[in-house]
Structures are given as structure tokens and as C-alpha cells.
Amino acid sequence: RQIRKFDLLSTPAPAEDGIPAGGTYYTPLQENLNYFNLRKGGALPPDCRRLLASVLCTITGDVDGVYITSVDGGAIPASKMEAIYAKLQAAGWQHPETLTWINDQGEFLFGAKSKILKGLEQGGGEAMIEFGPDGVRRATYLDLAQSTLMGRNEFRLRVVGGYTSVLAKAAAK
């Protein structure tokens, strides 16, 4: 199978090193088909769990951020992005999200980034997980044909299945 089950466990962050408790630790889990026969019983390897009628194990590879946008899919002001990046870096984030990368020639939309983004479209390969401002995690895809990508602070990203202001209005009723 090419499509694998995925879950994201959330655990409240405890107080440590003088920092008060607060926030959340997230652990991504993905179906491991090598252990499918253990879905109903047997000794599981470390860091694996029976979930979603299968066996899911922690993802130990690089987990990348793809986009950080305003609710309407546009760019966030630079001063606010700097504050967001500082918090993400403190949590172990390794680099800026893919959408705003600029290559050595100063190009915003270059071949390697375009290939990564195309692989995140419906039918293109991988789904993403979106952490919406309402606290809900959603599986999403990109719709690049309906997106406008002109530069780091000039874009409107269209996300399929993501949080929208329509959802916010419906939740408020």
C-alpha cells in the first residue's frame, strides 16, 4: 500500500528547567506495515502502538513545516513571523517552512521548491497535517493552480481541506 495511516499524539508539556508547564508535545505516528500482523496482539517494538486497527510507530525522520499563513492563506507580517520562528526554534524546529524558502539566487519559486510543493497537491503524493487556529488538526493538500506565489511576502496559498474563516463563522453559531 502506498497510503499509510497517520496519527498525532499530543501530550501536555510539563514544567522543566524553571519553565512553567504549558504548551504541548506532539508525536507523529505512521503505520508500519512490517508490524501489521501485530495489530491484534503480540509484543510491539518500542515506540509503536496499536491504533486505527493497525500498528503505528513514531516517525524518526525529518518532519518539515510547509506553510505558516494568515487565515486567508496570505503572508504574515515579518515581525510576527520572527516571533513565530523564535517560538518554533525553541521547540526544536530546524528551519523555516518550505513556502518562504529563497534559494542562493534570491528566487522565491525555484525548481526544487516547486517540486516539493507539487508533491503535496491532491494526487501528487503526500498529505500534510494542518494545525488550525481553532486547535483542530486536519489532513490537507495544496491547490497550486488556485494559489498565487510571487514572493516571500506576496502570496496567497490555497489549501484543500484546511481551516477557513467559513469554518470559524460556523463554529461561532
Side-chain angles (χ1 to χ4, degrees), residues 6 10 26-27 36 39 61 67 69 75 117-118 122 135 137-138 144 171 173:
F6 177 88
S10 57
Y26 292 100
T27 305
F36 187 73
R39 70 190 180 282
Y67 61 86
T69 68
L117 296 178
K118 285 182 186 302
Q122 277 185 303
R137 299 181 302 257
R138 297 175 176 84
L144 296 176
K173 290 183 179 181

Side-chain angles (χ1 to χ4, degrees), residues 18-158:
I19 300 171
T24 306
Y25 289 126
Y26 292 100
T27 305
L29 300 167
Q30 181 173 299
E31 183 176 30
N32 188 324
L33 297 176
N34 293 326
Y35 302 127
F36 187 73
N37 62 325
L38 298 174
R39 70 190 180 282
K40 293 185 180 181
L44 290 176
D47 300 319
C48 292
R49 297 169 187 238
R50 287 182 186 86
L51 293 167
L52 306 175
S54 191
V55 175
L56 280 63
C57 301
T58 55
I59 298 172
T60 57
D62 187 18
V63 177
D64 292 321
V66 176
Y67 61 86
I68 300 171
T69 68
S70 62
V71 173
D72 68 358
I76 293 175
S79 61
K80 192 170 185 180
M81 275 303 278
E82 186 176 346
I84 291 169
Y85 281 149
K87 288 181 179 182
L88 289 172
Q89 184 177 18
W93 195 265
Q94 296 175 349
H95 51 73
E97 86 284 7
T98 305
L99 184 62
T100 60
W101 287 353
I102 291 178
N103 70 7
D104 293 341
Q105 290 76 44
E107 297 170 313
F108 173 73
L109 191 59
F110 52 94
K113 180 166 78 173
S114 179
K115 182 179 177 184
I116 291 168
L117 296 178
K118 285 182 186 302
L120 300 171
E121 289 187 288
Q122 277 185 303
E126 301 179 63
M128 301 171 290
I129 186 166
E130 178 188 79
F131 298 86
D134 57 353
V136 176
R137 299 181 302 257
R138 297 175 176 84
T140 62
Y141 293 94
L142 298 179
D143 183 344
L144 296 176
Q146 296 295 314
S147 297
T148 305
L149 306 173
M150 299 178 300
R152 180 178 278 185
N153 293 313
E154 298 177 74
F155 63 82
R156 180 85 54 225
L157 188 65
R158 174 84 169 132

